[in-house]
Amino acid sequence: MKSTMMLLACLLSLSHALPFEQRGFWDFSMDDGMAMMNDEEGSGTPPPTMPGLPLPPMDMCPFGCHCHLRVVQCSDLGLTEVPKNIPRDTSLLDLQNNKITELKKDDFKGLTKLYALVLVNNKISKVHDKAFEPVYHLQKLYISKNNLAEIPPNLPSSLVELRIHDNKIKRVRKDVFNGLKNMNCIEMGGNPLENSGLEAGAFDGLKLNYLRISEAKLTGVPKDLPETLNELYLDHNQIQAIELEDLIRYSKLYRLGLGHNKIRMIENGSLPFMPTLRELHLDNNKLSKVPPSLPDLKFLQVIYLHSNNITHIGVNDFCPVGFGVKRAYYNGISLFNNPVAYWEVQPATFRCVTDRLAIQFGNYKK
């Protein structure tokens, strides 16, 4: 009876023991060594596997990387190629800030569960035609700040987001986005793209919500971008004018970025093609007057016009005539750094603005 009580007490104490916590690299090897010693002393503890049977496969973390909960982080290691033996259940692979120059055919072999791949800030200039074939569940590809001369071919059809800015891309081929029906966002600014580099039909079949082609060499608004766009950013280009039919396709836009261009003229009637527009960036251009047709944009709430050459503001430049016509009032109008005599502007000019703090005039300085 006494020995039985002692056995129960030992079992209870074990049931309340804390889980094992590894505090050092050698903790596991020490445990293995203790187990071996116990076996040699005849403890009777059976081995973990039967003799003659192969050990179960075990994915190892690549040397120097950190692996945790299906996330493999191999950034800032000076790698010149994609590491081998990446665990097959990896969902996020971070390879940014290395010196990888090429993506080979089998670099991602077996990574069928990969969801996001980060290759930002490497030296990649070559991508094998079948490099992305194994990662057919990939949804996010970040390959910005590399040396790519074109968009990689055969991107996974599962792709939702592509960030490929700050490369050396001069051309977007007609068939490069074929089959990418799930694509929602493309960031491709910072490439030396001209209007002629966007082949006709290059974006056919895409249902994008977001597209940025900023810091490029565009001289006009591209005319065959996806009609589904909600956000379009063409800032820091060389666009000189907005003509009547430039925006006719983009009726679903609610945010348009055209800042830091050379726009001198916006043709009357071009802006109403975007009836749901809520935010318009026209700052840092060469406009000499407030763009026409702004009162027709019933939902416009924010407009940036600072750092232009605007000299006069009319009483009906922003607000429609009559009450109840505009559906949403302005909560931001920036007009600073323009040669306009703000003290001569009629107070009624801003009758459809939420409050006076929403208007920014500032001082004009040459």
Side-chain angles (χ1 to χ4, degrees):
M1 183 66 180
K2 185 175 181 180
S3 60
T4 303
M5 293 297 293
M6 290 179 65
L7 177 60
L8 288 174
C10 291
L11 291 173
L12 286 173
S13 63
L14 288 173
S15 66
H16 292 289
L18 293 174
F20 171 75
E21 180 180 358
Q22 185 182 6
R23 298 184 181 277
F25 179 79
W26 295 107
D27 285 1
F28 285 113
S29 59
M30 289 173 64
D31 285 352
D32 293 341
M34 292 298 295
M36 291 175 63
M37 290 173 62
N38 289 335
D39 288 342
E40 291 175 357
E41 293 174 2
S43 63
T45 303
T49 57
M50 296 298 293
L53 293 179
L55 291 172
M58 181 174 60
D59 291 328
M60 301 295 291
C61 189
F63 180 76
C65 302
H66 298 279
C67 302
H68 182 65
L69 297 178
R70 293 184 294 175
V71 175
V72 178
Q73 184 180 8
C74 303
S75 60
D76 302 277
L77 294 177
L79 299 174
T80 56
E81 61 181 7
V82 176
K84 308 299 182 185
N85 302 320
I86 298 171
R88 292 178 179 266
D89 64 345
T90 300
S91 61
L92 190 156
L93 177 57
D94 181 7
L95 294 167
Q96 64 182 314
N97 301 328
N98 281 293
K99 299 178 181 179
I100 300 171
T101 59
E102 181 182 355
L103 299 182
K104 303 182 182 68
K105 178 182 177 181
D106 295 327
D107 277 349
F108 307 112
K109 185 177 180 179
L111 301 182
T112 58
K113 298 181 180 180
L114 196 63
Y115 170 84
L117 176 59
V118 184
L119 292 160
V120 177
N121 197 25
N122 275 277
K123 300 180 182 297
I124 301 170
S125 60
K126 185 178 180 181
V127 179
H128 193 279
D129 288 354
K130 296 184 178 180
F132 297 112
E133 191 175 77
V135 289
Y136 48 80
H137 286 147
L138 188 70
Q139 294 193 25
K140 297 179 182 293
L141 175 59
Y142 301 157
I143 195 168
S144 304
K145 296 185 178 180
N146 278 280
N147 297 323
L148 293 172
E150 61 180 6
I151 296 173
N154 302 321
L155 294 171
S157 59
S158 57
L159 206 61
V160 174
E161 182 178 347
L162 173 65
R163 297 189 179 270
I164 195 167
H165 58 278
D166 289 339
N167 275 276
K168 299 179 180 180
I169 299 171
K170 293 183 178 181
R171 183 182 64 151
V172 180
R173 298 195 320 269
K174 179 180 179 180
D175 59 347
V176 72
F177 295 126
N178 278 358
L180 302 182
K181 298 180 180 180
N182 298 314
M183 186 76 82
N184 181 64
C185 167
I186 297 179
E187 162 64 86
M188 54 189 304
N191 286 288
L193 264 172
E194 299 180 2
N195 286 75
S196 59
L198 300 172
E199 293 187 4
F203 295 91
D204 285 356
L206 292 181
K207 297 181 179 179
L208 296 179
N209 287 332
Y210 178 103
L211 176 63
R212 183 186 292 272
I213 314 179
S214 59
E215 300 178 81
K217 295 183 178 181
L218 300 178
T219 55
V221 177
K223 293 181 171 57
D224 59 348
L225 301 178
E227 298 179 356
T228 56
L229 283 172
N230 296 135
E231 298 186 57
L232 175 61
Y233 298 93
L234 302 172
D235 51 283
H236 291 86
N237 276 285
Q238 300 172 18
I239 301 172
Q240 299 183 20
I242 305 297
E243 299 178 354
L244 186 61
E245 296 184 356
D246 281 350
L247 303 170
I248 193 171
R249 285 174 57 89
Y250 314 126
S251 60
K252 297 182 180 180
L253 281 180
Y254 61 75
R255 186 173 288 118
L256 175 61
L258 291 168
H260 292 270
N261 276 280
K262 300 178 180 180
I263 301 173
R264 295 179 179 272
M265 184 272 296
I266 297 179
E267 192 169 352
N268 192 13
S270 58
L271 296 180
F273 285 122
M274 305 175 293
T276 60
L277 194 67
R278 287 167 169 75
E279 188 171 319
L280 177 59
H281 295 243
L282 285 166
D283 56 284
N284 290 278
N285 278 284
K286 299 182 181 298
L287 295 171
S288 59
K289 61 180 180 179
V290 176
S293 305
L294 287 183
D296 297 330
L297 300 176
K298 299 180 180 180
F299 295 95
L300 187 62
Q301 294 176 282
V302 177
I303 179 166
Y304 295 103
L305 290 168
H306 56 270
S307 300
N308 276 278
N309 298 321
I310 299 172
T311 58
H312 175 75
I313 297 177
V315 70
N316 294 319
D317 278 353
F318 293 98
C319 304
V321 178
F323 293 97
V325 179
K326 189 167 177 57
R327 301 291 182 85
Y329 276 23
Y330 290 98
N331 54 45
I333 298 178
S334 68
L335 288 161
F336 62 88
N337 200 23
N338 277 288
V340 59
Y342 60 88
W343 55 87
E344 295 180 358
V345 179
Q346 298 287 338
T349 302
F350 304 111
R351 58 188 178 274
C352 58
V353 180
T354 53
D355 58 68
R356 63 182 183 179
L357 295 178
I359 307 165
Q360 299 178 10
F361 268 110
N363 296 321
Y364 174 71
K365 296 180 179 179
K366 290 186 178 181

